[in-house]
Amino acid sequence: MYLKPTTLNEAVSLLASTGGQILAGGTDFYPALGERLPQGTVVDISALKEIRGISMQEDHVRIGGLTTWTEVIRSPLPRCFDALKQAAREVGSVQIQNRGTVAGNLCNASPAADGVPPLLVLDADVELVSASGKRRLPLAQFLAGNRKTLRRPDEVLVAVLIPRRIESAASTFLKLGARKYLVISISMVAAVVQTDADGLVTEARVAVGSCSATARRLFELEKTLVGLPAKPGLGSSVSEMHLSPLSPIDDVRATAEYRRDASLTLVRRAIELCVGRL
Ligand SMILES: Cc1cc2nc3c(=O)[nH]c(=O)nc-3n(C[C@H](O)[C@H](O)[C@H](O)COP(=O)(O)OP(=O)(O)OC[C@H]3O[C@@H](n4cnc5c(N)ncnc54)[C@H](O)[C@@H]3O)c2cc1C
């Protein structure tokens, strides 16, 4: 059965009563089916205008779950969102960016989801709504593993919430694939660097994707960078030891060894790029 509610209330009560699966932009949903037809009930949430779009709240930025990557690219956002915008431009092709949504990318929970590292470095939370209520979780906790999240089947991811703490920080996103365009990453890095009036790093956040079951923050590296002068050469403070939270695998795209080596270069470059943007 195919159902297309027009309000969030209707959607969550349909999910509760039918146990249906959610369809948003369909850019992960349909490829995952291959030649098969969907089984059971499909609840198409693409008409829920109330969970689409980006708004600036007093203490956070709210990105509606149904916001497409094209909308992220086109929205005026503070500088710390540059990495997210760069990632949005790397999600598949323009056609995919027009259909694919932020929540779909997070709920699909691919280790190679381009939206995840930039949202991890923005300390994003996700808001989930079901017929029985609303809850909020840090994104890092929500992503429980390869294709696994803490979402209950009757919950809709209605928004991503980003605290407005480091809006003027420089940020960047780098993606390495086997070709330039329309590619699944071998490794990707998002970084944010904030400095004080003396040019010292007050906050640094770095996340690497495609090198573990879910993208990982490099907290030891972040601590190392704080207090250092944000000058060219800062990237050389990154050592192999800082990548220890990663657990890359060998697969068709790259060997684990190549991934680790490439990630070290990407992280160093990302830090240098942030410094250049301050
Ligand atoms: C050709 C191609 C290239 C691609 N390239 C990339 C790429 O480079 N980088 C990348 O990261 N991704 C890529 N993707 C994957 C995909 O486009 C993105 O992950 C996209 O953001 C998914 O969003 P969607 O709205 O299409 O999700 P859907 O396909 O509609 O849904 C995906 C999953 O999330 C669930 N879901 C969707 N919305 C919600 C919600 N609001 N609440 C709860 N559950 C929900 C669905 O039930 C489903 O399980 C590509 C896909 C294709 C087909």
Side-chain angles (χ1 to χ4, degrees):
M1 188 167 37
Y2 172 83
L3 302 168
K4 192 168 182 183
T6 54
T7 66
L8 179 59
N9 273 344
E10 201 191 336
V12 292
S13 64
L14 286 173
L15 286 170
S17 60
T18 65
Q21 26 177 350
I22 295 177
L23 171 68
T27 62
D28 275 317
F29 183 95
Y30 287 113
L33 286 172
E35 299 290 306
R36 289 172 294 128
L37 289 171
Q39 299 297 305
T41 302
V42 174
V43 180
D44 179 351
I45 61 166
S46 62
L48 306 188
K49 293 197 184 74
E50 66 208 276
I51 64 163
R52 186 164 186 163
I54 302 179
S55 62
M56 305 296 281
Q57 314 280 321
E58 199 181 320
D59 63 347
H60 66 272
V61 176
R62 185 180 179 91
I63 303 180
L66 263 187
T67 307
T68 64
W69 292 112
T70 299
E71 286 162 339
V72 169
I73 295 164
R74 292 187 181 160
S75 300
L77 287 166
R79 189 161 77 149
C80 67
F81 284 79
D82 289 355
L84 185 66
K85 288 191 173 214
Q86 281 176 274
R89 289 191 194 93
E90 302 267 3
V91 176
S93 59
V94 170
Q95 294 90 335
I96 297 292
Q97 291 155 21
N98 286 340
R99 288 294 303 169
T101 63
V102 174
N105 194 248
L106 303 182
C107 293
N108 188 56
S110 160
D114 286 334
V116 173
L119 287 170
L120 286 179
V121 296
L122 289 173
D123 270 345
D125 282 353
V126 294
E127 190 175 291
L128 299 154
V129 170
S130 70
S132 50
K134 178 158 81 174
R135 64 186 179 126
R136 183 171 166 168
L137 287 176
L139 174 62
Q141 195 182 328
F142 175 72
L143 297 168
N146 182 359
R147 311 266 172 196
K148 286 196 199 110
T149 70
L150 296 189
R151 183 179 83 84
R152 291 193 294 259
D154 62 340
E155 286 180 317
V156 177
L157 196 165
V158 296
V160 179
L161 309 170
I162 293 129
R164 296 182 65 177
R165 273 198 47 240
I166 51 153
E167 293 197 321
S168 60
S171 75
T172 196
F173 173 80
L174 296 174
K175 172 171 169 175
L176 174 72
R179 57 173 186 258
K180 183 77 195 106
Y181 185 67
L182 197 57
V183 69
I184 298 176
S185 67
I186 290 169
S187 173
M188 58 177 146
V189 174
V192 172
V193 176
Q194 170 95 308
T195 51
D196 62 14
D198 300 324
L200 300 178
V201 176
T202 52
E203 192 151 350
R205 303 181 195 158
V206 182
V208 179
S210 282
C211 287
S212 31
T214 63
R216 299 290 300 268
R217 286 268 296 266
L218 304 181
F219 291 113
E220 281 306 315
L221 171 61
E222 296 177 7
K223 277 191 240 158
T224 300
L225 294 172
V226 170
L228 297 179
K231 286 191 187 144
L234 183 64
S236 61
S237 320
V238 186
S239 70
E240 276 174 42
M241 181 270 294
H242 291 125
L243 302 191
S244 58
L246 308 180
S247 44
I249 54 163
D250 293 332
D251 70 6
V252 286
R253 289 192 288 282
T255 61
E257 194 190 347
Y258 178 75
R259 281 198 156 94
R260 200 174 281 284
D261 190 47
S263 299
L264 183 61
T265 302
L266 288 183
V267 172
R268 285 178 174 158
R269 264 186 214 162
I271 302 288
E272 291 296 329
L273 281 167
C274 285
V275 168
R277 287 174 185 183
L278 284 163

